[in-house]
Structure formats: C-alpha cells, structure tokens
Amino acid sequence: MVGPCGSYPCRHRVSRLAAAGLVRAVASPLFDRGATVLTLTTSPHVVWHRGSVDAQARADLLGQTGVLVWLTGLPSSGKSTIAFAVEHQLLLRGRLAYVLDGDNVRHGLNANLGFSPADRSENIRRVGEVGKLFVDAGLITLASFVSPCRADRDQVRALLPPGRFLEVFVDAPVEVCEQRDPKGLYRRARAGEVRDFTGVNAPYEAPQAPELAIATGACTAEEAAERVLQMLEDRAIVPPVRQA
C-alpha cells in the first residue's frame, strides 16, 4: 500500500502528554490535509550547555565527518542488510560507524512505542534526535527505518546541517518484499493478523528526491552497499580506497 500518510487515521496523535504540558497539538503544513501533529515544548528553564569541544574538533580527532545516512523503504526491502554491510566495510577502512536499526531501538529506547501513526512519528523523532547527536560526535550513522511518512523524514533532515542527512531510498516492489518476508509479517498482515503494516494496510510515501535510490530487486546486498559507500566517497565523507 503506497500512498499518502495524511489519509491514514490519526485519532491517536494527541496523547496524554498534551495534558501534562509536554507536547502541544498543532496543524502542520508538512502533513497532507492539515493533519494534527505533536510538537514538543521545552521549559524556559532548560538551556543548552555549550562545551569547549565542537563537532569540528571531534571530526579532526576521528579523521572523518559525521553524517546520518537514512535508509527508508518497505519492510523486507533490504534496509538493515545494506546498513550493516556498509557499517562492516567502513570499520574495515578504519572508519567509526554505527547502525540505528528499526527493530533494535524498539528493544530499549523506543520499547514503549507501538505502530499507531502517532507512535510511528515519535519513533522517528527520537531516532532523529539520537542521529543528530551521533553526527555531532563524528560518527557515520546508518539509520534503517521503514519511516513511511515523508514529513517525518523531512523533520529529521531539518535537524541537521545541509549535506549531513543523506536519504537512501531502498526501492523494492511490494511483491519482491513479500517473497523475502523473513518474519512472515506480510502473510500475517494479508490474513488480518497484523494491523498497521506498511505496504499492506498502512501507507508508504516514497522519497521524492533522495540522495540515492537503490533498486534492490535488481542487485545484491553487496552491490547495494557498494553504492552507499560510493555516495560517501563522492561527497567526501570518506576517502576512496587506494588501489594497490
């Protein structure tokens, strides 16, 4: 099911956090049909404590520039496989990299979130903030998330300086994803056992202008990872491998 997230029911977007004064409901032009979204509020007593070490100092120490590579696509499109393959290759090159994986973060950081529209947005918001910190620390960060709503991904992009958020569309037709389906979730969603499953009974908004698009139905995971590495080389995030 590929379509606009704005048409998806969003009655759960306003939560009990609003009553506590931690969030406020606003109408955002980022969402189709003026959907209501939650915007976090910050106490006026909370200020940013700036240290004496900046991002450039960390980059100089590590010999690399922090960046957030955001892999988005349907479930079973190959996002995590590619992300971990890229991480492995970067470490072999002596580069510090880390994968923020959609399933893994739900074991801790986002363990209290489900798959309602509001929870999906909060899931991406939290990961975006973690990714921002990792980029500031100088890590080459690979985020592997379905992240079906374009507006959520755009909000993460807005957190980072230009060129530090690189969107990678892992483009695989739903038929190919269903054939892979290692967890059997497509089958269960088709049977009505899994609700809010992207690609079946929940929408996915494909990127309109990603920095990189990879048709994973027509290449191997190794080839896809190489394309991500080439993108990082082309953008001077990592130096090219020297030929012997």
Side-chain angles (χ1 to χ4, degrees):
M1 181 179 180
V2 179
C5 290
S7 61
Y8 195 39
C10 54
R11 62 183 180 277
H12 299 300
R13 285 195 181 277
V14 180
S15 72
R16 64 181 180 277
L17 296 177
L22 298 177
V23 298
R24 60 188 178 90
V26 299
S28 172
L30 289 176
F31 284 79
D32 295 336
R33 298 172 177 83
T36 299
V37 298
L38 296 181
T39 300
L40 294 180
T41 60
T42 303
S43 166
H45 305 295
V46 177
V47 297
W48 186 268
H49 192 136
R50 189 174 300 279
S52 57
V53 179
D54 61 11
Q56 187 58 53
R58 299 185 190 97
D60 293 341
L61 176 65
L62 295 172
Q64 65 183 47
T65 300
V67 68
L68 178 57
V69 180
W70 192 278
L71 295 95
T72 177
L74 291 172
S76 301
S77 58
K79 301 178 299 298
S80 295
T81 301
I82 296 168
F84 283 112
V86 173
E87 178 193 43
H88 181 66
Q89 289 299 317
L90 286 171
L91 263 64
L92 290 178
R93 296 187 186 191
R95 303 295 161 184
L96 185 58
Y98 193 86
V99 174
L100 294 170
D101 178 74
D103 279 358
N104 291 355
V105 299
R106 286 181 177 272
H107 284 272
L109 176 68
N110 294 342
N112 65 324
L113 297 177
F115 293 91
S116 69
D119 280 0
R120 283 177 178 270
S121 293
E122 175 62 10
N123 181 47
I124 299 307
R125 187 199 69 79
R126 292 184 192 179
V127 172
E129 292 289 351
V130 172
K132 177 184 176 181
L133 295 175
F134 279 19
V135 170
D136 188 53
L139 277 69
I140 299 172
T141 309
L142 301 135
S144 170
F145 291 81
V146 173
S147 46
C149 289
R150 191 177 299 123
D152 292 337
R153 302 191 301 266
D154 288 345
Q155 286 179 326
V156 176
R157 183 187 289 272
L159 293 173
L160 296 161
R164 293 294 170 258
F165 177 93
L166 303 176
E167 188 175 42
V168 177
F169 179 27
V170 183
D171 185 8
V174 66
E175 296 80 13
V176 172
C177 297
E178 287 200 59
Q179 289 173 4
R180 295 170 178 169
D181 198 17
K183 305 173 190 175
L185 293 177
Y186 278 97
R187 175 181 52 78
R188 293 180 59 198
R190 296 288 184 197
E193 298 174 8
V194 178
R195 297 179 56 192
D196 301 335
F197 188 75
T198 304
V200 177
N201 46 32
Y204 177 77
E205 296 177 330
Q208 294 178 322
E211 278 72 17
L212 178 64
I214 306 174
T216 55
C219 69
T220 66
E222 292 75 17
E223 291 169 338
E226 186 57 39
R227 290 194 59 190
V228 176
L229 291 165
Q230 186 63 55
M231 176 186 68
L232 295 176
E233 292 179 6
D234 292 344
R235 293 174 176 271
I237 303 298
V238 298
V241 176
R242 294 180 180 179
Q243 299 297 324

